[in-house]
Amino acid sequence: MLHAVIMAGGSGTRFWPESRTARPKQLLRLADERSMIAATVARLGDLVPAERVLVVTNDVQRPGIVAELPALPSDAVLAEPCKRDTAPCIGLAAICISRHDPDATLAVMPSDHVIVTDEAFQDALELAEQLVDESPRRIVTFGIRPTYPAETFGYIERGAPLDAKYQNVFRVTRFREKPKAEAAREYLASGNFYWNSGIFIWQAKTILDALERHQPEMFAHLKTIAAAWDTPARDEVLRREFAAIKPISIDYAVMEKADEVVVIEAPFDWDDVGGWQSFARLRGADDAGNTISGRHLGVRTANTIVRTDEKHLVATLGVQDLLIVHTPDATLVANRHDEEAIRELVRLIEEHGWHEYL
């Protein structure tokens, strides 16, 4: 059966001050009136019912995610005891699901992407499941046709078509990490590269076998956790063994070493919503290039992003290219083209010991 694993442990630092430790990006309402994670679960539709959805997050974020997803069973939100990147996260989820469904197929996805439309996404998932059913050792991923030479995404280089009966399904030649500008331009010009969506479909036993082969130390810790899962020592063993795992991404741990990998050119629109510039793409702009959410009065204001609420007025006069985000206890005013520096700002807040703003 098809299960969904939703990775929801990220912090969304570039969305500060709205994104906080206990209320990260996936809990924000950025694209519409639903939180990012609620939209991710809803996107599965009837293809993956609530009892086959597993959300992996952390102890701090778990209460907010549970409250946001009341339709999921109480044990459907699993908290990692510490952050160890995507490979241990996926391995832990695969072990948990395999206990009840040894033949499970997993659709692994981030919790904080925007995908349009739900129907196209479900059709793509069904195709991916079919491809895995045909060849159980196969790993399937979705590639996004690039629209500009992005330096912030990983890339997938496609090879030959998989089979004439499938349109837009290709063998994967290799995965490429985030490139420099010149390489990104070459990827775009070649026509043989996709952005890596971070969505994977495989059998649980396939990914566990791959982790055992390529990451034996990690797998040993995961096996110890699995052995204690139904015992009173579960929480203690989970904390100890998971903390002992070396952090590593699934791309480095498995994907760059895997043999039978295919990529489906995504038939849906996709946005990873990486920062406030993404918010502007999602919400659109007025004739002056302004993206406004909340109560705002602008005079001679252009190309500015304003995020507030209906109870707090933000007024701007004679400005352009600004990012203004108001929250009850913190306000950000920045050059809208320098949003990467928000990470540095958050680091400085932490250094000052102002943890109430994080």
Side-chain angles (χ1 to χ4, degrees), residues 115-116 141-150 153-159 161 167-171 184-199 263-272 281:
I115 290 176
V116 182
T141 186
F142 295 141
I144 311 299
R145 173 68 68 179
T147 55
Y148 64 95
F153 299 145
Y155 284 74
I156 300 168
E157 184 178 1
R158 78 181 193 190
Q167 290 187 339
N168 295 322
V169 181
F170 303 89
R171 301 184 187 279
R185 288 192 292 269
E186 291 174 359
Y187 294 171
L188 181 65
S190 78
N192 290 325
F193 287 83
Y194 296 114
W195 289 335
N196 186 347
S197 69
I199 302 172
V263 58
I264 300 172
E265 182 174 323
F268 45 78
D269 292 333
W270 172 92
D271 197 311
D272 82 324
R281 288 198 303 271

Side-chain angles (χ1 to χ4, degrees), residues 104-300:
T105 296
L106 310 182
V108 179
M109 64 198 72
S111 61
D112 54 4
H113 291 175
V114 169
I115 290 176
V116 182
T117 62
D118 290 359
E119 292 78 8
F121 178 73
Q122 291 165 22
D123 290 345
L125 271 189
E126 287 187 300
L127 172 58
E129 184 181 17
Q130 179 182 339
L131 290 169
V132 171
D133 287 343
E134 286 182 358
S135 181
R137 307 300 299 177
R138 179 175 286 157
I139 293 174
V140 182
T141 186
F142 295 141
I144 311 299
R145 173 68 68 179
T147 55
Y148 64 95
E151 300 171 55
T152 55
F153 299 145
Y155 284 74
I156 300 168
E157 184 178 1
R158 78 181 193 190
L162 177 65
D163 193 300
K165 67 181 178 180
Y166 294 119
Q167 290 187 339
N168 295 322
V169 181
F170 303 89
R171 301 184 187 279
V172 170
T173 299
R174 56 181 160 173
F175 288 81
R176 302 288 189 101
E177 288 304 306
K178 298 174 183 178
K180 300 294 185 182
E182 183 178 352
R185 288 192 292 269
E186 291 174 359
Y187 294 171
L188 181 65
S190 78
N192 290 325
F193 287 83
Y194 296 114
W195 289 335
N196 186 347
S197 69
I199 302 172
F200 304 101
I201 299 87
W202 45 43
Q203 286 197 357
K205 55 191 173 186
T206 296
I207 194 61
L208 290 174
D209 287 348
L211 289 173
E212 184 176 20
R213 184 166 63 255
H214 300 301
Q215 304 293 326
E217 290 185 14
M218 178 195 303
F219 187 77
H221 291 299
L222 293 173
K223 278 187 66 176
T224 302
I225 292 169
W229 199 259
D230 292 320
T231 75
R234 180 178 79 173
D235 291 346
E236 177 188 348
V237 172
L238 175 60
R239 283 193 298 270
R240 183 187 70 236
E241 296 295 323
F242 202 79
I245 296 174
K246 296 178 181 178
I248 187 172
S249 72
I250 195 66
D251 287 344
Y252 281 127
V254 171
M255 299 306 294
E256 292 184 355
K257 303 175 178 68
D259 297 323
E260 194 176 351
V261 186
V262 300
V263 58
I264 300 172
E265 182 174 323
F268 45 78
D269 292 333
W270 172 92
D271 197 311
D272 82 324
V273 197
W276 288 112
Q277 295 280 27
S278 302
F279 177 75
R281 288 198 303 271
L282 295 171
R283 294 294 182 107
D286 62 20
D287 291 342
N290 299 313
T291 299
I292 310 299
S293 175
R295 182 156 295 189
H296 169 255
L297 180 62
V299 178
R300 298 194 302 279

